[in-house]
Amino acid sequence: MKTLAQKLEPVGPKRILALDGGGIRGALSLGYLKHLEELLRKQHQNEKLLLSDYFDMIGGTSTGSIIAAALAIGMSVDEIKQKYFELGTKIFGKKYKWYKIFEIDDLFKAKYDDKALVQELQNVFGDTLLGDQEKIKTALVIVAKRADTNSVWPLNNHPMGKFYDTGDGDNKNLPIWKCVRASAAAPTYFLPQSIEVGGDNGFAAFVDGGVSMANNPSLQMLMVATLKGFPYRWPMGEDNLMVVSVGTGMTKWKKLPQKISKSHLLNWASNLPDMFMQDASWHNQLIMQWLSNSQTGFEIDREVGILDEDILSDDPNRKKGLITYLRYNVFLDVDEMNRRFNPTKPYTQSEIDNLAAMDNAKNCQKLYDLGFAAGAQEVLASHLPAQFKI
């Protein structure tokens, strides 16, 4: 297997795994990842192959960063599933109590006490630092949002990164658990995370990376891997670069026009976060399909379709894209779910709404089973090109 140093080099085909944010719905991603891990083990005839062995870069946003970091230190999907279920039950089970006067200020800032989250992250990642070249098996990208400057920070472990070793708030000395906690600091759910970054202020406040265009981090990670401002500079090309993107389930926006016209200010305010996150997700999906001749492309809208005739490429026949791109996700929609999975007892809208909640830890097993069932349909051996075999 390749060492971390070999994976970072801009030589040979490169493989990127990008994991969406979505709270407890990360359990759905794990169902997909189980299928992916099994397929890769069969392809390489190695029952012990890990996703960190295969992928040269693994990253994620929010809950996706938790799973990504666990994969990057060499955990199997089954190991992560066990830890994730325990973590979900603990972190989304301890809300701030109204009668604790000493926490009254926090009560109006966040829904959940983050002590359980911090403790569980420390249990999983221990004292591992972002710059640990032995414990971290692959390139790792943790997408967080710096609240005080409103900028996206893709924290990564490349030794040649501009902020990796500056002598003042080095990225290499940041504990993994703290980076992940910063990425998962979802506003209204958890308080922001402060991290020492050096400079004039010394500390920066971070919130959930999903409060940006990178809740689906695939495009952000592609930029980290290829833009000259970052140290990776991996070459583009359908045979050179593969991005596998895994979602946490996506709701379909269905609002009757008459209901929209009657909405009041509070109604609009409550819907805006979901609207913005859906916009970002669709925009990222459009760009990634535009860059690729994707085997998993789906209709963006009825005007542009699936972009199969609009591939950005230097191929004169427009058949090969600038990347190989695979996207796996489930639409949490009554009609779609009942059509695809044909349950003995059809889903109701209230059941779908319950599954879509980002903080209902009781749904862990249901979400994992859903992702596993979707993975059985979507994650195919034919999706993994021979040129990307290690």
Side-chain angles (χ1 to χ4, degrees):
M1 297 299 174
K2 289 183 178 180
T3 64
L4 173 58
Q6 290 172 326
K7 289 181 178 182
L8 296 178
E9 293 175 357
V11 178
K14 296 295 182 182
R15 311 150 196 87
I16 298 173
L17 177 62
L19 305 176
D20 284 18
I24 203 65
R25 293 193 337 228
L28 188 149
S29 301
L30 288 171
Y32 274 115
L33 292 174
K34 179 62 177 176
H35 275 286
L36 183 60
E37 185 182 67
E38 289 178 346
L39 275 180
L40 289 170
R41 287 177 173 179
K42 289 178 182 177
Q43 185 187 51
H44 293 82
Q45 298 180 336
N46 180 354
E47 293 182 357
K48 295 183 179 180
L49 183 83
L50 300 171
L51 293 181
S52 60
D53 296 326
Y54 181 78
F55 287 99
D56 301 281
M57 177 185 286
I58 300 177
T61 301
S62 193
T63 192
S65 75
I66 299 175
I67 299 171
L71 290 171
I73 63 172
M75 293 177 69
S76 69
V77 174
D78 283 342
E79 288 174 321
I80 297 171
K81 176 189 173 187
Q82 180 183 351
K83 294 289 186 181
Y84 193 89
F85 281 27
E86 293 172 1
L87 179 113
T89 302
K90 292 178 181 178
I91 67 173
F92 289 119
K94 190 176 181 182
K95 295 184 179 181
Y96 278 111
K97 305 297 184 181
W98 66 267
Y99 55 80
K100 292 188 177 180
I101 303 303
F102 61 88
E103 292 178 343
I104 195 67
D105 188 45
D106 289 342
L107 177 63
F108 291 100
K109 294 177 182 177
K111 187 176 180 181
Y112 293 96
D113 186 344
D114 74 340
K115 291 184 179 65
L117 173 60
V118 169
Q119 184 62 57
E120 291 305 307
L121 292 178
Q122 290 175 334
N123 288 343
V124 173
F125 300 110
D127 59 358
T128 303
L129 303 178
L130 188 60
D132 194 320
Q133 302 290 300
E134 296 296 326
K135 292 183 181 179
I136 302 177
K137 312 298 182 183
T138 191
L140 174 61
V141 179
I142 297 173
V143 181
K145 175 74 174 284
R146 185 167 170 178
D148 53 319
T149 60
N150 198 37
S151 54
V152 176
W153 276 38
L155 298 162
N156 70 93
N157 63 332
H158 198 299
M160 300 303 292
K162 291 179 181 178
F163 305 102
Y164 181 83
D165 187 4
T166 64
D168 182 22
D170 304 329
N171 283 357
K172 71 175 184 179
N173 292 320
L174 295 177
I176 289 292
W177 75 262
K178 189 171 286 189
C179 296
V180 171
R181 168 65 179 85
S183 178
T188 75
Y189 288 95
F190 299 107
L191 294 172
Q193 174 68 44
S194 293
I195 291 181
E196 188 174 359
V197 296
D200 296 334
N201 295 324
F203 287 86
F206 287 86
V207 293
D208 196 302
V211 190
S212 71
M213 290 291 289
N215 189 59
N216 169 353
S218 56
L219 181 59
Q220 177 67 59
M221 291 179 64
L222 177 62
M223 291 190 289
V224 169
T226 59
L227 293 181
K228 288 183 172 57
F230 297 100
Y232 299 87
R233 303 187 182 186
W234 292 347
M236 299 274 275
E238 189 172 287
D239 296 328
N240 296 326
L241 194 57
M242 177 172 70
V243 180
V244 179
S245 174
V246 182
T248 59
M250 186 173 178
T251 56
K252 283 191 174 180
W253 193 263
K254 292 181 178 180
K255 300 287 184 180
L256 294 175
Q258 55 267 37
K259 288 187 177 181
I260 295 284
S261 63
K262 294 179 181 179
S263 291
H264 48 70
L265 287 175
L266 289 177
N267 181 265
W268 277 111
S270 65
N271 282 298
L272 284 176
D274 191 36
M275 292 173 70
F276 290 148
M277 289 181 72
Q278 287 214 19
D279 283 346
S281 182
W282 280 107
H283 182 75
N284 284 346
Q285 181 66 20
L286 185 151
I287 296 296
M288 297 300 282
Q289 284 186 200
W290 194 13
L291 293 170
S292 65
N293 185 12
S294 179
Q295 297 183 71
T296 60
F298 54 83
E299 185 180 79
I300 302 298
D301 59 44
R302 288 185 293 174
E303 194 160 30
V304 301
I306 63 172
L307 303 169
D308 55 335
E309 296 181 356
D310 291 293
I311 301 170
L312 281 179
S313 174
D314 51 10
D315 174 17
N317 297 317
R318 297 288 177 180
K319 295 298 182 183
K320 283 196 169 187
L322 294 176
I323 59 171
T324 291
Y325 174 62
L326 301 169
R327 172 67 172 173
Y328 302 116
N329 203 11
V330 176
F331 278 106
L332 300 176
D333 172 78
V334 170
D335 296 334
E336 185 86 2
M337 296 271 283
N338 288 329
R339 178 187 65 80
R340 285 189 60 182
F341 305 111
N342 191 27
T344 305
K345 181 183 177 184
Y347 288 99
T348 65
Q349 186 60 54
S350 61
E351 288 172 330
I352 297 297
D353 292 341
N354 182 272
L355 277 176
M358 292 194 291
D359 61 344
N360 189 345
K362 294 179 181 179
N363 286 335
C364 273
Q365 189 63 55
K366 291 180 181 178
L367 288 163
Y368 177 85
D369 292 343
L370 176 59
F372 191 79
Q377 296 178 2
E378 298 176 42
V379 184
L380 308 178
S382 58
H383 290 175
L384 302 171
Q387 65 266 31
F388 290 103
K389 186 177 179 181
I390 55 176

